[in-house]
Amino acid sequence: MHCLVVDDETRLTDLVVRYLTESGHTAEGRYDGPSGLAAARDPRLDAVLLDVMLPGMDGVEVCRTLRSEGIDVTVILLTARGAISERVAGLDAGADDYVVKPFAMEELLARLRATSRRRPDPAGRLQVGDLVLDPEQQRAWRADTELELSRREFAVLRVLMENAGCVVSRLQLLEEVWDGEADLRSNAIDVHVSKVRSKADRAFGRTTITTLRGRGYRLETAP
């Protein structure tokens, strides 16, 4: 996921950018409304983390301008505690969600994942190279050959494809696939990733699902 962080608190902006980068995403920062708006027009962006109180142009106006220009990027507002009017104004302007300051980095990342899941893919399918997944039909294909996946294997592949090119931690898989039912110390995650790798990679002579020791797994965007 490629993110833009816009906040006039330079230390906070740089901290969030570094955290997102260390979590396997790409991120960049801006420190005022006008430069944030210009950067948010980049079609490669997946999400904008936007402070409400910005110099030059406030975050609500930035969001409203993006929506008026037909830019449908995910927007998460960063608002002050108790500023309910700011949150209402931001959501009315087209923001997808908000996070109240001060916030935990883990919560911010969880909100990013949640909003990305809620926004449907225009084609209704996920595709990475010749790997295609249909969430609605619960079916997946590689090179036009359908993959025989169990429910959990399908869910693992879906999370990897939704985060293609980024590191997916064991904790993220635990939360999104097992809903916290498994234990990080158990080998259930490794077993299911291994099965998905066998069916979607090795059976086709590919190596796209890689293990990053101590960090998690990544679905490479190119075979």
Side-chain angles (χ1 to χ4, degrees):
M1 187 180 295
H2 183 43
C3 303
L4 172 68
V5 185
V6 188
D7 196 309
D8 61 338
E9 295 181 52
T10 56
R11 184 174 175 277
L12 175 62
T13 300
D14 296 344
L15 186 64
V16 173
V17 166
R18 185 166 67 251
Y19 179 80
L20 290 172
T21 301
E22 290 173 352
S23 299
H25 304 281
T26 57
E28 56 186 289
R30 297 293 187 276
Y31 310 102
D32 60 71
S35 65
L37 175 61
R41 292 182 172 122
D42 187 338
R44 295 171 297 176
L45 276 178
D46 297 301
V48 179
L49 306 176
L50 184 62
D51 186 33
V52 171
M53 301 300 292
L54 290 169
M57 185 181 197
D58 68 52
V60 173
E61 187 58 32
V62 170
C63 183
R64 184 178 292 113
T65 301
L66 290 172
R67 298 309 189 220
S68 70
E69 295 176 359
I71 298 173
D72 195 35
V73 66
T74 294
V75 175
I76 297 179
L77 294 177
L78 308 178
T79 72
R81 183 177 298 278
I84 296 175
S85 60
E86 289 182 356
R87 302 176 214 167
V88 172
L91 293 170
D92 285 345
D96 296 280
D97 203 351
Y98 63 85
V99 176
V100 176
K101 294 180 178 181
F103 51 80
M105 293 295 180
E106 293 84 357
E107 179 191 1
L108 185 64
L109 195 55
R111 293 294 185 103
L112 273 171
R113 292 198 298 266
T115 51
S116 67
R117 286 196 300 269
R118 289 200 299 266
R119 298 174 71 88
D121 182 84
R125 291 184 172 188
L126 297 172
Q127 180 163 1
V128 179
D130 63 352
L131 191 58
V132 178
L133 182 144
D134 189 320
E136 185 174 337
Q137 296 186 33
Q138 297 280 295
R139 299 172 69 188
W141 300 262
R142 166 144 262 165
D144 296 325
T145 299
E146 186 161 1
L147 306 178
E148 296 296 328
L149 302 173
S150 70
R151 178 179 61 86
R152 281 248 162 87
E153 291 164 4
F154 181 89
V156 167
L157 181 59
R158 178 174 182 171
V159 173
L160 291 172
M161 291 183 69
E162 287 175 338
N163 297 274
C166 300
V167 178
V168 176
S169 68
R170 288 168 54 84
L171 178 59
Q172 183 176 344
L173 284 172
L174 180 70
E175 291 174 345
E176 297 194 33
V177 177
W178 278 266
D179 198 24
E181 294 174 0
D183 190 307
L184 274 177
R185 293 169 295 181
S186 117
N187 69 345
I189 297 171
D190 303 304
V191 168
H192 280 77
V193 171
S194 178
K195 288 181 178 178
V196 172
R197 184 184 283 126
S198 176
K199 294 177 180 181
D201 263 4
R202 295 192 189 112
F204 297 86
R206 310 293 177 84
T207 310
T208 55
I209 301 172
T210 58
T211 300
L212 293 91
R213 192 170 299 278
R215 298 174 63 195
Y217 310 94
R218 181 171 60 209
L219 176 64
E220 307 297 344
T221 55

